[in-house]
Amino acid sequence: MITKFIKRILRRDPMVRHTAAHTSGAPKRIAKKSHRIDPNLLSKNAIKVTQTLQNAGYEAFIVGGAVRDLVLGISPKDFDVATNATPEQVQKLFRKARLIGRRFQIVHVTFFGKGQPEIIEVSTFRALLENAGEHIAENGRILRDNVWGSQHEDAARRDFSINAMYYDPASETVLDYHGGMADMQKKTLRMIGDPAKRYREDPIRMLRAIRFAAKTGFTLDEATLAPIAKLGKLIHDVPSARLFDEILKLLMSGYSWAAIQGLRDAGLHHGLLPLLDQILDNKEGSSGPKDFVRIALANTDQRIQAGKGVSAGFLFATLLWPDLLHNWKKNIAKGSSNVPALLDAMDETIASQSSGMVIQRRFESDMREIWSMQPRFEKRVGRYPYRLIESPRFRAAYDFMLLRCAARELNPDLGEWWTNFIESDPSGQEALMASAKKDSGNSGASALPTKRRRRRKPKTAAPAEPATS
Ligand code: ATP
Ligand code: MG
């Protein structure tokens, strides 16, 4: 009788053994013909990791966003693996494995091949919070998170049902604990458990909800969306560095414009970045600073979707530009001349951000370089253009200037001139210099905003505009 029972248990999936100790049921096992994951989208290194762990007698699955993307037929940008091996046990099995993090300890297994090295993030099944009580602060926030648990618990701790599926490459089976597959079919983003409680535990989940909705085009389930209106302010308790990382992910998701609209609709944008308030609350019509940001973000999305890189410094330089432009004009109106007015405006704009999410210093210097080079595009006399294209940051500043042209903040002819200048041989460049001189007299100021639809500055020039002086 007992042997029969043991045999039955052993024949069952190992997870079922875990779940037996808990209230909720076993996962749904979804076979290949239903999930239709294309094995070609899998990372060979992720398979190596699950295989190595399984060969050593552990359980191991690809998990989280990678499974979500695989089911969607998208190539995942990175692969996470979940296992019942502890971080130390994982580390012993791989040559290049590093223990990372304190609050949430994981192992980075690195593979070197052609191109960029690939890092597979391996995490140990986490216990449910109830079983890790001493690590929770009074306000419900998770402090430390290294209490190991069963796979069932691990699934319950994940954020959305579609992010809580586990894929075993060996058997090509998906284990679905929270109805993720059904939600995929319904195109619904649903928080596991009590959404309000889950947001209190970790307010970043509200931003994740918006990001995934924008990325997948899924709708937030009513109960998942509802508490955000009230709990949105908790985001301000999140440490600035983590908030910054999450905002960066949102902006670099390839769906940034949709995500920013999502933030606004959920009332989450206030105070995140003062610039978002300004941009999204901007009541101006179709033109104005919003236009520039919309064009810049659409451009970022396009680049990311095409697999091209985008620098965070560039991105934040575009988002803060409307504020900077405002300050620049204001300083000129107060009597400063063009370049000092811009430099002061840069300080003011950066300082005004410190009330929200703090932009990291390394991006700040990139932003300053891109901005401070802008007036130089309008000086098309003497050696200036030749010197400008030699600057190490020329390319970024040039791309930025093209966005200003696209937003009609500068005359698009100026952008075209620079594009020709870069592409021309020395004699072509000379001809372009001559044409610029003809265009603008000796002032070097031909970049009138196209609203005026003129190429030449009238003799009785209007009050200085940063873009034109
Ligand atoms: P992507 O990598 O495409 O941005 P992802 O879903 O993989 O999306 P990660 O941040 O890589 O997101 O996290 C991996 C998985 O870890 C998630 O799918 C989810 O299951 C879990 N997870 C991540 N952050 C949280 C969180 N704040 N709360 C609960 N679960 C989380
Ligand atoms: Mg991921």
Side-chain angles (χ1 to χ4, degrees):
M1 172 85 175
I2 288 179
T3 29
K4 215 167 148 194
F5 176 68
I6 289 173
K7 264 192 196 151
R8 212 174 73 214
I9 291 283
L10 287 178
R11 246 186 289 122
R12 285 163 70 183
D13 185 81
M15 283 86 254
V16 181
R17 268 181 283 142
H18 286 304
T19 55
H22 299 280
T23 44
S24 131
K28 217 181 227 162
R29 303 178 64 92
I30 298 162
K32 191 176 180 184
K33 67 175 189 323
S34 304
H35 62 64
R36 297 184 174 197
I37 287 178
D38 175 1
N40 295 318
L41 294 179
L42 285 166
S43 144
K44 295 209 168 37
N45 296 325
I47 299 175
K48 253 185 239 162
V49 171
T50 54
Q51 249 171 12
T52 307
L53 283 160
Q54 289 170 355
N55 290 344
Y58 301 110
E59 294 160 18
F61 300 85
I62 292 170
V63 69
V67 184
R68 174 197 70 221
D69 290 350
L70 287 168
V71 174
L72 285 170
I74 304 172
S75 179
K77 67 174 165 45
D78 45 47
F79 283 81
D80 298 323
V81 166
T83 178
N84 62 353
T86 65
E88 290 75 18
Q89 289 167 331
V90 175
Q91 198 182 25
K92 279 191 195 126
L93 290 172
F94 299 95
R95 249 187 325 142
K96 279 302 275 175
R98 269 197 334 141
L99 277 170
I100 307 280
R102 282 180 39 190
R103 194 190 82 117
F104 196 99
Q105 212 173 52
I106 52 172
V107 183
H108 274 180
V109 182
T110 309
F111 292 90
F112 297 94
K114 275 183 236 143
Q116 291 275 70
E118 186 182 11
I119 295 175
I120 307 292
E121 245 180 58
V122 185
S123 57
T124 305
F125 296 149
R126 253 72 181 177
L128 274 173
L129 289 177
E130 289 85 298
N131 305 340
E134 71 272 29
H135 299 298
I136 302 170
E138 259 176 27
N139 61 4
R141 205 107 59 74
I142 309 169
L143 298 177
R144 286 195 58 215
D145 211 1
N146 290 325
V147 180
W148 317 134
S150 65
Q151 184 174 17
H152 167 262
E153 287 182 286
D154 188 78
R157 301 210 16 180
R158 292 181 181 270
D159 45 8
F160 303 97
S161 65
I162 63 168
N163 282 349
M165 295 188 285
Y166 298 72
Y167 180 63
D168 173 16
S171 64
E172 295 187 88
T173 308
V174 170
L175 300 185
D176 179 8
Y177 283 85
H178 293 279
M181 203 58 94
D183 284 338
M184 292 283 259
Q185 275 151 9
K186 284 187 277 180
K187 297 191 181 301
T188 297
L189 206 56
R190 193 168 48 80
M191 178 65 75
I192 296 168
D194 170 19
K197 185 174 163 223
R198 304 299 312 281
Y199 294 138
R200 279 203 193 90
E201 275 168 19
D202 182 5
I204 279 288
R205 288 173 185 150
M206 292 185 261
L207 294 180
R208 289 175 63 85
I210 304 299
R211 171 158 66 93
F212 293 131
K215 181 177 165 174
T216 55
F218 287 13
T219 311
L220 283 170
D221 161 70
E222 230 179 276
T224 300
L225 176 65
I228 295 181
K230 223 176 86 198
L231 300 178
K233 53 184 184 301
L234 295 181
I235 286 190
H236 303 291
D237 301 341
V238 174
S240 173
R242 187 155 179 248
L243 192 55
F244 182 86
D245 284 350
E246 190 54 40
I247 294 283
L248 201 55
K249 277 191 193 172
L250 190 140
L251 294 171
M252 301 253 194
S253 63
Y255 299 86
S256 63
W257 184 244
I260 283 182
Q261 301 297 312
L263 287 180
R264 192 220 10 227
D265 295 346
L268 276 180
H269 62 293
H270 286 290
L272 267 189
L273 286 166
L275 63 107
L276 283 187
D277 291 3
Q278 283 160 21
I279 295 158
L280 290 168
D281 294 339
N282 180 344
K283 301 275 185 313
E284 283 175 48
S286 60
S287 66
K290 200 171 166 179
D291 239 11
F292 174 83
V293 174
R294 186 177 47 74
I295 290 168
L297 289 179
N299 182 267
T300 304
D301 288 348
Q302 249 172 27
R303 287 186 64 94
I304 289 175
Q305 286 177 27
K308 294 184 200 160
V310 172
S311 95
F314 187 91
L315 191 55
F316 284 108
T318 62
L319 289 175
L320 290 170
W321 181 250
D323 187 61
L324 178 60
L325 205 53
H326 170 83
N327 289 333
W328 188 6
K329 284 180 186 168
K330 183 198 68 194
N331 292 342
I332 286 174
K334 278 200 219 149
S336 286
S337 55
N338 198 28
V339 173
L342 172 63
L343 298 179
D344 287 344
M346 281 166 32
D347 289 341
E348 289 160 24
T349 293
I350 287 175
S352 75
Q353 291 305 303
S354 56
S355 61
M357 182 196 67
V358 180
I359 293 176
Q360 290 171 3
R361 290 238 171 259
R362 65 197 154 110
F363 302 129
E364 202 183 296
S365 62
D366 279 5
M367 283 157 42
R368 284 181 186 272
E369 268 187 285
I370 291 168
W371 289 337
S372 61
M373 280 165 83
Q374 292 307 306
R376 296 173 63 187
F377 284 99
E378 294 172 46
K379 280 197 148 181
R380 294 178 295 160
V381 287
R383 299 300 302 160
Y384 286 113
Y386 296 95
R387 262 187 246 138
L388 186 54
I389 56 174
E390 295 301 320
S391 314
R393 300 288 291 151
F394 171 76
R395 193 73 213 184
Y398 161 75
D399 285 344
F400 194 90
M401 182 271 299
L402 289 185
L403 289 177
R404 295 175 65 206
C405 292
R408 299 279 163 159
E409 182 194 304
L410 290 177
N411 190 328
D413 291 351
L414 183 70
E416 212 173 295
W417 187 92
W418 275 100
T419 304
N420 291 332
F421 190 76
I422 300 164
E423 290 168 359
S424 295
D425 59 14
S427 69
Q429 289 185 335
E430 259 173 56
L432 282 161
M433 289 299 293
S435 80
K437 198 168 174 186
K438 207 170 89 215
D439 253 7
S440 54
N442 279 325
S443 70
S446 68
L448 290 175
T450 45
K451 250 189 257 161
R452 300 187 204 176
R453 300 228 172 269
R454 295 214 201 139
R455 293 178 69 88
R456 218 173 277 259
K457 206 172 185 176
K459 285 238 160 57
T460 49
E465 284 249 352
T468 65
S469 51

